Amino acid sequence: MYSRFIRLIFPLYIFAFTFFIVSQLGKHFFFTFSYLSGIRIDYLAPTIYFIDILSLPLLFFSLKKFIEQLGLIKKWVTKNILFTSFFILLLAINFAFSLSKPLWLYGFARLLQFTLLFFFFRLYRNKKVVYSPLVWGLFLGACFELVLSLLQLSLRHSLQGWWYYLGERSFSIFTPGIAKAYFLGKEFLRPYGTFSHPNSLGGFYLLIYVFILTQSRISNVFLKRLFLFVTSALVLISFSRTAIVVYVGINLLYVIWNGITCKTCFLAKISIAIVLITFTLGITGDINSLQKRTDFFQKSLSIIALKPFTGTGIGSYLIAQHNYPQKFSTFFEQPVHNIFLLEIAQLGIPLTLLFGALIYMIMKNHIWKIHIIFPILVVLLTGSVDHYWFTLQQNLLVLAVISGIIFL
């Protein structure tokens, strides 16, 4: 009975999970700590997403396997007792000094969720019953996202209707603070798809693009090429300059990595790269974008200097940042656009270093394989100028899933 469930139902479930991974449909719960100056902040609101409900069976499987391997885990902890003890101590200190205990607990629960999802896909990465529906789920989800994004781009507003139940929010080009792009003197609404920002959309599909590009297990050449085309289109129409520049760099590096066997093909790729970079340079957006990012950067350094050892606590960064004066007339509260500074500010320097050491131990033996190093480069490069890999649900989920598949 169990094996029949695995063969028939489980692939459909994996497909549904990876298809709906793009949805941000959820219920926000706003408590007193979710407000800054009387304004509700989504980043500070505990949220139950539709995808969380879908992930429950996968988390159960992960937990079951985790319990089965307690012997191996105990052996690793005993071997690294000093590291483990210091890690737990610093985590406890971070909780004790956190600016919001409820946000810390919520953030830690999210971290456990993504860890268990990583663990699940790592355990089942070689199973066709998981890998094949995962690829198809991500592909059809990307096709859906491309159709929705193109409609938003052409109509200059969201579609709503039943699209709302797939996670689309209501907006138009006239919505205050909406992301717009200007190219050749024409104003465009940057498509959001089902994401909370076009940059998040661009980074999400850039990571999937690189994942598919470096996968040798996809035997269907037509599917792979079509998948790469769809994800490329999503990166480009997101008008995310960072995502487009990294996309160009990764493709050139991929050609060099595999050896230049066709000089004409290489020159053609260089020409395309020049065209894309020129296109990117021609895109303009928020005229205050650089000043806002610089302001966030300076505030993060001040927060780190104030709490270098304890940090602000998981999930409490915006509470600390709100203590610094606003330099812009409209309310504009976002995390610092740099995942490294954000993590140091929240965890403190010692705990961040231990997290880094733990990640290094996980992937040190295989880091220089192309299917691992390229996705890492995408996260590091885009994460150096944005925060979505650590703050937005869809990006965190796809990072956990893809990491589980590629890490040995």
Side-chain angles (χ1 to χ4, degrees), residues 153-378:
L153 181 63
S154 61
L155 297 173
R156 310 213 303 176
H157 60 74
S158 57
L159 279 71
Q160 289 298 275
W162 64 272
W163 297 90
Y164 167 82
Y165 296 100
L166 292 171
E168 185 199 40
R169 292 182 178 177
S170 177
F171 57 85
S172 76
I173 197 168
F174 304 108
T175 303
I178 204 71
K180 293 180 282 189
Y182 301 86
F183 185 71
L184 298 178
K186 189 172 182 180
E187 183 182 63
F188 295 91
L189 169 72
R190 294 177 62 191
Y192 281 61
T194 58
F195 289 74
S196 57
H197 196 278
N199 288 345
S200 171
L201 168 70
F204 182 97
Y205 281 106
L206 176 61
L207 181 62
I208 292 180
Y209 172 85
V210 172
F211 167 67
I212 297 301
L213 180 68
T214 56
Q215 285 292 298
S216 58
R217 294 172 59 184
I218 303 175
S219 56
N220 189 327
V221 177
F222 176 76
L223 171 64
K224 184 171 184 176
R225 288 177 178 174
L226 186 57
F227 203 159
L228 292 175
F229 171 79
V230 171
T231 49
S232 296
L234 283 162
V235 171
L236 295 177
I237 67 171
S238 73
F239 292 99
S240 170
R241 285 171 289 188
T242 301
I244 295 172
V245 169
V246 175
Y247 170 85
V248 171
I250 284 289
N251 277 286
L252 292 178
L253 183 59
Y254 179 78
V255 173
I256 296 170
W257 187 290
N258 288 290
I260 303 172
T261 55
C262 172
K263 292 183 179 179
T264 304
C265 300
F266 180 68
L267 290 174
K269 291 180 183 293
I270 290 291
S271 300
I272 294 172
I274 292 172
V275 170
L276 288 176
I277 292 296
T278 303
F279 166 73
T280 305
L281 293 174
I283 300 171
T284 56
D286 183 0
I287 59 173
N288 294 318
S289 178
L290 181 60
Q291 293 93 324
K292 289 174 181 176
R293 289 169 184 260
T294 303
D295 182 47
F296 291 147
F297 184 85
Q298 292 170 344
K299 288 177 180 176
S300 70
L301 293 179
S302 299
I303 293 169
I304 292 170
L306 191 64
K307 296 176 174 288
F309 184 72
T310 63
T312 65
I314 299 172
S316 296
Y317 175 82
L318 285 181
I319 297 176
Q321 182 178 270
H322 190 61
N323 293 324
Y324 295 86
Q326 286 285 337
K327 293 185 178 180
F328 301 93
S329 56
T330 56
F331 185 84
F332 188 77
E333 203 71 81
Q334 285 192 40
V336 58
H337 287 54
N338 182 290
I339 57 174
F340 311 106
L341 291 176
L342 178 60
E343 212 57 16
I344 293 171
Q346 290 192 117
L347 301 180
I349 296 173
L351 188 54
T352 301
L353 290 175
L354 280 190
F355 257 119
L358 184 62
I359 293 171
Y360 175 74
M361 283 190 283
I362 292 173
M363 61 186 190
K364 65 180 180 180
N365 295 327
H366 306 279
I367 190 171
W368 293 114
K369 293 185 177 180
I370 188 172
H371 70 283
I372 294 180
I373 191 63
F374 274 42
I376 289 174
L377 282 175
V378 166

Side-chain angles (χ1 to χ4, degrees), residues 116-165:
L116 287 175
L117 282 174
F118 165 82
F119 188 67
F120 171 84
F121 284 99
R122 184 173 183 271
L123 283 172
Y124 293 97
R125 67 187 181 277
N126 291 324
K127 302 287 186 181
K128 189 176 181 180
V129 73
V130 168
Y131 187 83
S132 182
L134 177 143
V135 171
W136 277 103
L138 291 176
F139 170 67
L140 293 179
C143 292
F144 149 76
E145 204 70 35
L146 180 59
V147 171
L148 177 59
S149 298
L150 287 173
L151 288 172
Q152 291 174 352
L153 181 63
S154 61
L155 297 173
R156 310 213 303 176
H157 60 74
S158 57
L159 279 71
Q160 289 298 275
W162 64 272
W163 297 90
Y164 167 82
Y165 296 100

